[in-house]
Amino acid sequence: MDVVTDLAHGGRWTSLRHGGREWLWRREIAARDGVAPGDAFVDAGGVEECVPTVRGTPDHGDAWSRAWTREGDGERVHGEHFTLTRTLSGTADGVRADYVLAAEPGFRFLWAAHALLDLSEAAVLKARDGAPTRLFPEAAPLVDRPWPAGARWQEGVWPAPLGLRLDRFGPDDGTAAGAVVADGRCCVHDDRDRLSFAVEAEGQPLSVALWRNLGGFPAARPYRSTGVEPMLGRVFDLADAGPDDAARVGASGEVRWRLTVSAACRCP
């Protein structure tokens, strides 16, 4: 599996290829070249490193808008309150990314490998049946019950939380919905191709986020984008995170985790 990253533009993964297939959805957008920390997110596709939040402030985190540097075998970015180091290495059928986040003890954060994938309408997402799954307010018109006023999320179970079937992407229908599945593993099946993700971190909340935008976002000029995003955390916005919904830096001043991407399906 071949990976290309762009350190000058947020450390973004710009290519993920296996067996002649490019897995990442990308789009050319000139505004991405001139972003600065604190700017609104500019969606160029690929895989973004979103930390210390995904939604909220700063929009899609504080790493995507900063230049990264190479130091030895690692790739590094210095955020406002943290330093993140990523080391990529090949495996027999994929790639492994080892991360170290250094910050003051007690620092809370979310991290997501915000992977936008180039998938057909027939693609299927496999995750553990019955896994607790949170839906967020943009899904309110799509579920089988009224959305409680002011609710930051509603929880159901995979693959159809609150009656909304999420494991199949399907054709564009003008909708967009985000979900967070409380499981650190998932696998995409697209025709004969497979792409699996697994995230591991001792003592931290593990999830996979799903962004299923079937031509429903943004409102002015919608486009299709389908995201499968391994996470530390259980919400999109750090401001919404309860005591167990975000990763936390311990007394050592570091959090370590590993993301494994494979061309073989290893879901339960």
Side-chain angles (χ1 to χ4, degrees):
M1 188 173 289
D2 296 321
V3 178
V4 178
T5 61
D6 183 352
L7 298 187
H9 299 98
R12 182 168 62 102
W13 305 33
T14 57
S15 180
L16 182 67
R17 295 185 65 86
H18 182 268
R21 173 173 180 153
E22 174 60 63
W23 277 100
L24 299 184
W25 173 86
R26 297 163 296 177
R27 65 175 185 155
E28 297 299 325
I29 182 165
R32 179 58 187 268
D33 293 342
V35 298
D39 285 355
F41 184 59
V42 178
D43 187 5
V47 181
E48 305 282 6
E49 303 284 359
C50 294
V51 60
T53 191
V54 183
R55 299 180 183 178
T57 305
D59 188 10
H60 281 68
D62 193 30
W64 72 271
S65 58
R66 297 179 182 269
W68 292 46
T69 58
R70 186 173 301 280
E71 300 185 19
D73 294 335
E75 300 169 333
R76 181 170 294 175
V77 63
H78 299 281
E80 186 174 354
H81 299 293
F82 64 89
T83 296
L84 179 65
T85 302
R86 174 183 69 197
T87 303
L88 297 172
S89 55
T91 65
D93 58 5
V95 64
R96 182 171 64 237
D98 289 298
Y99 294 86
V100 181
L101 183 138
E104 289 293 323
F107 180 72
R108 299 178 78 229
F109 67 96
L110 307 174
W111 163 83
H114 185 277
L116 295 181
L117 304 181
D118 186 8
L119 302 177
S120 76
E121 294 181 357
V124 176
L125 180 62
K126 302 284 188 178
R128 178 172 57 86
D129 283 348
T133 302
R134 289 177 175 176
L135 292 171
F136 294 81
E138 68 272 8
L142 308 175
V143 300
D144 60 7
R145 66 200 69 179
W147 194 272
R152 294 174 294 177
W153 64 77
Q154 290 288 286
E155 189 168 292
V157 296
W158 184 265
L162 281 64
L164 177 59
R165 191 73 183 263
L166 291 177
D167 58 336
R168 298 183 181 274
F169 291 93
D172 291 359
D173 60 8
T175 67
V180 175
V181 185
D183 192 1
R185 294 177 178 270
C186 71
C187 184
V188 176
H189 293 209
D190 197 1
D191 194 18
R192 296 181 180 180
D193 297 324
R194 303 288 183 266
L195 188 70
S196 69
F197 296 95
V199 60
E200 305 167 78
E202 185 176 355
Q204 306 293 348
L206 307 178
S207 301
V208 175
L210 171 65
W211 174 240
R212 197 182 69 167
N213 174 25
L214 304 179
F217 177 88
R221 299 181 66 182
Y223 52 85
R224 180 186 180 96
S225 59
T226 48
V228 179
E229 309 171 20
M231 290 186 72
L232 299 187
R234 297 195 178 105
V235 292
F236 285 112
D237 191 339
L238 183 60
D240 291 337
D244 300 322
D245 292 334
R248 183 186 296 273
V249 177
S252 69
E254 292 184 347
V255 174
R256 295 175 178 266
W257 67 96
R258 171 173 290 177
L259 170 65
T260 303
V261 186
S262 171
C265 187
R266 296 191 173 94
C267 291

